[in-house]
Amino acid sequence: MNTKNEKNISIIIPTLNEAENIPPLLHRIAQILDSHCIPAEILIADGGSTDGTQSRVHEAARHYPQVRLIQSDGKHGLAGDVRYGAEAATADIVLIMDADGSHPPEVIPSLIQPLFQNAADMVLGSRYVPGGDTPDWPWARRLASRAATLCAWPLVSVRDPMSGFFAVRRKQLLELGSTASGFKIGLELMVRGGDSFRIQEVPIVFRDRELGYSKLGIKETLAYCKQLLVLSGGTVSTKHGLRFSCVGLAGLALDAAVFNVLLLLGLGVTGSHILSFAAATLSNYTFNARWSFADTAGLSQESSWLRYARYFLVCIMALFLRGAVISALVQGAQWPPQAAIFGGIAAATLVNFVGTAFFIFPTSYARKNTAIRWRVFGLCIIAYAVALRLAFSGVVDLIPEEAYYWQYSQNLALGYLDHPPMVSWLIWLSTSLLGKSEFAVRLPALLCWSGAAIFMFHLAKNLFDKTSAFFAVALMAVLPIYFGMGTIMTPDAPLYASWAGCLYFLERALMAQKEKAWWGVGLCLGLGMLSKYTIALLGPAILAFLLLDKNSRHWLTRPEPYLAAVFALVLFSPVILWNATHDWASFAFQGTRRWSGDPEFSLHVLIGSVLVLLTPVGFVAALSALLPKGWTKTLLAFRHPDQNQRIYLFMHVYTFIPLSVFILHSLQGDPKLNWTGPVWLAVLPCMAWIMSHTPQGTEKTVGFLQRLPWRSTAVGLLLLYGGVMYYILLGFPGLAPVKEMPLPAAWEEMGQRVEQLAGTIQTQGQDRLLIAGMDKYFISSQISFYDRPENGSMDISGQHLVGGNSLMWSKWQPAKSAWGKNILMLSFEREELEKASIATHFAALGKIQKQPVLKKSKTVTHFYYRIGYQYTG
Ligand code: GDD
Ligand code: MN
């Protein structure tokens, strides 16, 4: 007989005062084991019951010889007792379940089967997968349980990480050591396992106990939350928090003292301010390392100067966010500065504490689990980048393009000359709901970014794993092109969301063979075409993939792809309709303009643009992900022996086909900076995967080489964005805003200046003036946005009145309607107003005059104006 397999599984049941529950439970278990012929031993791991649980077990053991009592001293809690049980167990596979009947023994066979088949490393009974339920719970308890589950989302991939009903290999349970405590032993297993630990969930209906009482209370719930933070790598506790605050307050006092002393010594504001900041961070760092975080500070092998340098960067990041939050609250939300400072302090403290507890003095555990560390790092970058943008978007004046697209939304239509209508519709929706403001104009950009990020997350998760998914989104948060697309509202925002959505659904349709996903492809293509025509480049790429991939060719004979194309076309039909009634104006505009002009070799410009869009590190990473040979491929083959060819093809086709069009174009024409932006979306998942995974045994060397450039790039970019925003909003001490900096900070002031000017000229007895910006659309659009209707709206037109090109302005304000009017022409350049051709359009011309634009009573720029009398067309 095979003695090893004699006892196939060991069922471990922790008990604390469960006397009443033991007999019925054992009876149910025995029945199910019998009927499925599962040989098992049952270990009751008792934690010192005082209600006679032990004697009930002994009694039961007479009927069921496979039952044993494992008695502990009761000092190590639930997890400790489960561990005792596991040590005493003899089978390779252990199954843990509650004694109170909440966990239905009937699912035991489905919990152990995947382990025997080696299809999983852990199987849990789950309340939150389809088929699972908690029918006895009031809504409040359901909500609390869901909230606790949500907190674990970044760390684990399962739906029910709090489940206490699971099967696992005994060896792996014992490997945990005795660190796991309380009710979280399952969670520990899942988190420590990392991305390669295969977990399956089996639905269970969780019934509340009828006898005895629950031992899960506030204490256990709090311990769970703390455990999550510790598992995330943070040195977090009340003690650490309190000490950190003390150090922070002392640092504040030191900062103020040093500043004042240096000021008295005559050092000037700038020097004093910088030196006192350095002094305070140095003292804070020292006290944190020696006192607040002394327990984990010792674990690092890094030199303390290097660590201080990192701490300093965290402080600067906190400072930048603080400035942005204060400006947003004062200028945007109209808070009094006395109140806004607290918002600023709260934001800075949060950044500082998270940075310190998670990255400067992390737990020893975090140093080992790199997957979790990458996820947490990714999450923090994402949060910081989003917070910066939220604070920034309502305070900084619109850029001219945004003002122009806002003007679109004031002239709602099915199409426009230079772009499809989505950007206009979104701005219209947002400003109708929230009123006209910079924030309302830009909000759709952030929402589109979020949509793109969600698609990217799932795409990367489906192609690779959850850690890569976090990092793919982190890349979207920091890489210049994606940061920009989510900050500034242009047609690119909805384009990128649609592009990412399209890739997501294509992966579902082509790799996961889900036919319904084709509807998603059609939807995203259609919405994308309503945003910017560039997305049409995905069409040939889809066709190419269907032809090249032998597992996908069958789709060519199926209706779904064609239906998706028709669906996309239907969504796009408003634009076709608009074009049909406007002489095909926008098709002609995009078609001819892009491919005409003097042929000029510009491939180097294109490559330069990619270096800017992705940063050099991102560029190299994208290349190495795309290169056909090399270690990416080796890694891929290792991780996906059966799929790697297809993942490769997917990435290549959806990158290179759109890219090749831009490359071809650049051989003879000038590419625009942002053009290739969406193309790289198909490579991001693989880039994220490479950077967050290190071949085993090379963590020290390869791992370091992977981490260093990315960490510096990510942190460097965030500092750059924060710094630029800080500079625009507040200026740096000593480094006053550049003398002539109209953009992007003074459009509002300029608008008001023009309003005043027009007012004075009109009250001097002139007729009502028509205002015309003498550039493509910048001035007209900005003046129009910053016009204050409560003072009576201004009439605005563009330079088409005197023969220039002003895009849609010439449609909104046809020259005919200006006949006979007096026109106030505006320009930043004198020469524009001096042109001889201007005179031919008027009966008479006034003198060219210069006007300053003041911001905070300082002159920041000038513009010129000239009045043309009685426009003759
Ligand atoms: N040996 C030992 N020592 N057993 C204990 C101890 C202890 O300190 N504390 C509790 N138990 C046993 C109980 O006797 C019961 O069999 C099982 O552990 C679960 O305890 P309950 O008190 O019934 O907890 P619960 O039903 O509130 O919590 C259940 O659901 C949670 C999710 O909502 C458990 O399955 C948890 O693991 C799970 O997280
Ligand atoms: Mn229970």
Side-chain angles (χ1 to χ4, degrees), residues 98 100 102 206 209 214:
D98 289 359
D100 56 3
S102 296
F206 183 100
R209 58 162 73 232
S214 167

Short mmCIF file of all heavy atoms in Angstrom, two decimals, residues 98 100 102 206 209 214, ligand 2:
data_model
loop_
_atom_site.label_atom_id
_atom_site.label_comp_id
_atom_site.label_asym_id
_atom_site.label_seq_id
_atom_site.Cartn_x
_atom_site.Cartn_y
_atom_site.Cartn_z
N ASP A 98 -13.70 26.95 9.32
CA ASP A 98 -14.26 27.33 10.62
C ASP A 98 -15.07 26.18 11.20
O ASP A 98 -15.58 25.33 10.48
CB ASP A 98 -15.17 28.55 10.47
CG ASP A 98 -14.38 29.81 10.18
OD1 ASP A 98 -13.14 29.72 10.11
OD2 ASP A 98 -15.01 30.87 10.00
N ASP A 100 -17.85 26.63 13.05
CA ASP A 100 -19.22 27.02 13.40
C ASP A 100 -20.24 26.74 12.31
O ASP A 100 -21.39 27.16 12.40
CB ASP A 100 -19.26 28.49 13.78
CG ASP A 100 -18.69 29.38 12.67
OD1 ASP A 100 -18.33 28.83 11.60
OD2 ASP A 100 -18.60 30.59 12.87
N SER A 102 -20.20 27.89 9.26
CA SER A 102 -20.30 28.94 8.24
C SER A 102 -19.78 28.45 6.90
O SER A 102 -20.25 28.86 5.85
CB SER A 102 -19.48 30.17 8.65
OG SER A 102 -20.00 30.74 9.81
N PHE A 206 -22.04 31.54 2.53
CA PHE A 206 -21.54 31.66 3.90
C PHE A 206 -22.74 31.85 4.84
O PHE A 206 -23.43 32.87 4.78
CB PHE A 206 -20.61 32.86 3.95
CG PHE A 206 -19.92 33.10 5.28
CD1 PHE A 206 -18.61 32.68 5.47
CD2 PHE A 206 -20.58 33.75 6.31
CE1 PHE A 206 -17.97 32.92 6.68
CE2 PHE A 206 -19.93 33.98 7.53
CZ PHE A 206 -18.63 33.57 7.71
N ARG A 209 -23.28 31.65 11.93
CA ARG A 209 -23.35 30.59 12.94
C ARG A 209 -24.68 30.65 13.68
O ARG A 209 -25.25 31.73 13.86
CB ARG A 209 -22.19 30.72 13.91
CG ARG A 209 -22.16 32.07 14.62
CD ARG A 209 -21.30 32.03 15.85
NE ARG A 209 -19.87 32.00 15.59
CZ ARG A 209 -19.06 31.08 16.13
NH1 ARG A 209 -19.55 30.15 16.94
NH2 ARG A 209 -17.78 31.11 15.88
N SER A 214 -19.23 34.85 17.69
CA SER A 214 -18.09 35.15 16.82
C SER A 214 -16.96 35.83 17.59
O SER A 214 -17.20 36.60 18.49
CB SER A 214 -18.54 36.06 15.69
OG SER A 214 -17.41 36.58 15.04
MN MN B 2 -17.90 32.31 12.20
#
